[in-house]
Amino acid sequence: MVCLKDSYKSSIWKLEIKAGRQSVPIILKISKPLREKRPESIVERNIYRKAKKAMQPFMPLIYLTKKNVNGRDLWVFMEYIESVKGRVRYSPDHFSKIIPTLAKLHASTMGDRMKQHERLFASWMPRYDSEEMIRERKRINKETLDYLDRAMKVPNLKKMLSPHYDLLRKLLNKGPEYFPEVTNAGMSIVHGDLHTANMVCRNVNEEVWKLKLIDWEGAKYAPCWFDLVNLVGIFLAYRREWKEEEETITRRSVYLYAEEMRKNGVVFDMDPMQLFQMAYLQRILQRSLYLQLNWAVTGKKEAKLLPVLLEKVYVLSKRLILYE
């Protein structure tokens, strides 16, 4: 037994199960009870317990789940597949290895294909179009405006925000629902936290990875383009060494995603690049800007992305003709 990770939420163990001459590695994930029932914790537990058959093509094989161990824990025994993290020097070249699996996940849970699983997910999978999530977006929109004004009272933040302040207020006052086209393009189950630590693959030398995803806490039924924004847009926002190539990388990834979705029976009515840009701006205004301003004002974390997001808001709103 080797403990791979231990936190207040969970413990993850790698076990070696021996039978005769065979030795099989498996993962035991122990989900700990939290003082407050957090929706994301409930989502991941139910994906492992209730939705393992529907979601099996996109996550490691679940051998066994056992709830209420010690009266409180959920134990999940699953197939061991090595994480992508640390096995490759991750770069935008790897998007082409990930996007085919992502498109299969989205296409398999979109529209009529989701209806066959509706009963399975209805009581616990968060829905972007639900009254609860709409209320949450309205709350965040209001607080983002508040943090924006508070940030303008901090000299170094005011200097950064001043050129963008009027535009930000104008856009945020139109929120929190900005582009219905993004939702109309199609909703599906999205993973919500796509990075290499949450991707596992047996052979990273293959042209297209036989990818599985883990850590489904951020999963929800939402516009499919949000995962691509996370995979491509947010990654490139952090990695500014690819700034000069960002447009080319993004365009290539977006059209590959649209082609893979077409192969799986989903065709977008709008230009995929425009849908991506709308989804990216929508996510910034609905969530990312709120977090960055919150961190900048309170000092909880370093607001690394704030300058990049401000530039993105300016560029994308201009491209999408949201202001003159």
Side-chain angles (χ1 to χ4, degrees):
M1 295 175 64
V2 179
C3 184
L4 302 180
K5 181 180 177 182
D6 186 47
S7 72
Y8 70 97
K9 293 189 292 185
S10 63
S11 293
I12 301 174
W13 297 79
K14 181 184 176 185
L15 316 178
E16 290 286 338
I17 304 297
K18 294 184 178 180
R21 295 182 180 180
Q22 285 189 318
S23 180
V24 180
I26 69 170
I27 289 291
L28 166 60
K29 181 165 187 175
I30 301 174
S31 295
K32 302 174 183 178
L34 302 175
R35 289 181 181 178
E36 297 179 8
K37 286 191 175 181
R38 296 170 57 174
E40 60 268 28
S41 175
I42 294 170
V43 168
E44 185 173 49
R45 283 168 172 255
N46 284 327
I47 280 181
Y48 292 142
R49 284 186 56 235
K50 300 179 180 180
K52 57 185 179 182
K53 187 175 180 181
M55 300 297 291
Q56 197 64 84
F58 311 106
M59 63 185 187
L61 185 64
I62 305 298
Y63 297 126
L64 175 70
T65 62
K66 187 72 175 174
K67 63 178 181 177
N68 299 326
V69 180
N70 300 322
R72 55 180 194 164
D73 298 340
L74 172 69
W75 284 26
V76 180
F77 294 89
M78 70 178 78
E79 179 183 21
Y80 171 74
I81 306 174
E82 197 172 352
S83 172
V84 169
K85 186 176 182 180
R87 294 166 66 198
V88 298
R89 189 174 180 180
Y90 190 54
S91 76
D93 291 337
H94 293 104
F95 294 156
S96 62
K97 298 175 180 287
I98 299 164
I99 286 171
T101 298
L102 192 61
K104 285 179 183 175
L105 166 64
H106 293 164
S108 71
T109 55
M110 186 176 284
D112 290 339
R113 298 176 189 181
M114 186 61 177
K115 287 181 181 177
Q116 63 182 313
H117 304 302
E118 206 156 356
R119 284 187 182 179
L120 176 64
F121 293 106
S123 64
W124 54 269
M125 176 67 77
R127 282 189 63 107
Y128 182 81
D129 57 355
S130 68
E131 289 184 9
E132 183 179 1
M133 290 196 73
I134 291 170
R135 280 197 304 271
E136 176 70 0
R137 290 198 291 277
K138 287 180 179 178
R139 180 189 67 80
I140 289 174
N141 178 261
K142 185 177 179 181
E143 291 188 14
T144 305
L145 284 162
D146 179 55
Y147 278 120
L148 179 61
D149 286 338
R150 288 171 63 182
M152 289 292 286
K153 296 175 184 176
V154 181
N156 63 320
L157 294 176
K158 182 178 180 179
K159 185 178 179 181
M160 185 195 307
L161 289 166
S162 288
H164 307 280
Y165 178 78
D166 290 340
L167 173 61
L168 289 173
R169 283 205 67 88
K170 181 180 177 181
L171 294 175
L172 288 165
N173 280 324
K174 292 181 179 179
E177 311 303 331
Y178 299 93
F179 299 105
E181 297 94 333
V182 176
T183 303
N184 295 338
M187 294 204 299
S188 67
I189 290 179
V190 299
H191 181 273
D193 193 16
L194 290 170
H195 54 80
T196 52
N198 289 341
M199 303 174 190
V200 298
C201 179
R202 295 194 188 283
N203 185 357
V204 293
N205 296 315
E206 291 181 319
E207 186 174 342
V208 176
W209 289 340
K210 293 182 177 65
L211 201 67
K212 306 285 185 179
L213 303 176
I214 58 174
D215 288 349
W216 290 84
E217 287 187 357
K220 57 183 65 69
Y221 191 67
C224 62
W225 284 95
F226 288 172
D227 262 346
L228 205 69
V229 167
N230 193 19
L231 177 70
V232 178
I234 300 302
F235 175 85
L236 291 172
Y238 274 109
R239 304 290 289 272
R240 301 317 287 158
E241 62 266 37
W242 283 297
K243 184 178 180 180
E244 297 302 315
E245 303 168 68
E246 183 173 356
E247 185 73 22
T248 302
I249 293 165
T250 301
R251 190 168 292 275
R252 183 173 66 233
S253 301
V254 164
Y255 285 108
L256 173 61
Y257 174 73
E259 174 58 18
E260 290 296 323
M261 288 292 278
R262 186 194 64 78
K263 289 179 184 177
N264 287 281
V266 177
V267 178
F268 298 112
D269 294 333
M270 287 182 62
D271 173 39
M273 194 64 189
Q274 190 175 13
L275 279 170
F276 175 84
Q277 291 169 348
M278 287 177 170
Y280 198 172
L281 183 54
Q282 186 153 309
R283 292 311 283 160
I284 291 172
L285 295 172
Q286 285 181 341
R287 185 72 181 175
S288 303
L289 186 63
Y290 163 77
L291 290 173
Q292 294 293 313
L293 287 172
N294 177 301
W295 296 341
V297 169
T298 63
K300 287 179 185 176
K301 291 184 182 180
E302 183 183 356
K304 284 184 180 181
L305 280 190
L306 186 54
V308 182
L309 295 184
L310 293 174
E311 180 188 349
K312 286 289 174 194
V313 170
Y314 172 77
V315 171
L316 291 175
S317 59
K318 192 171 184 179
R319 285 183 183 175
L320 296 167
I321 319 176
L322 295 184
Y323 73 98
E324 297 299 331

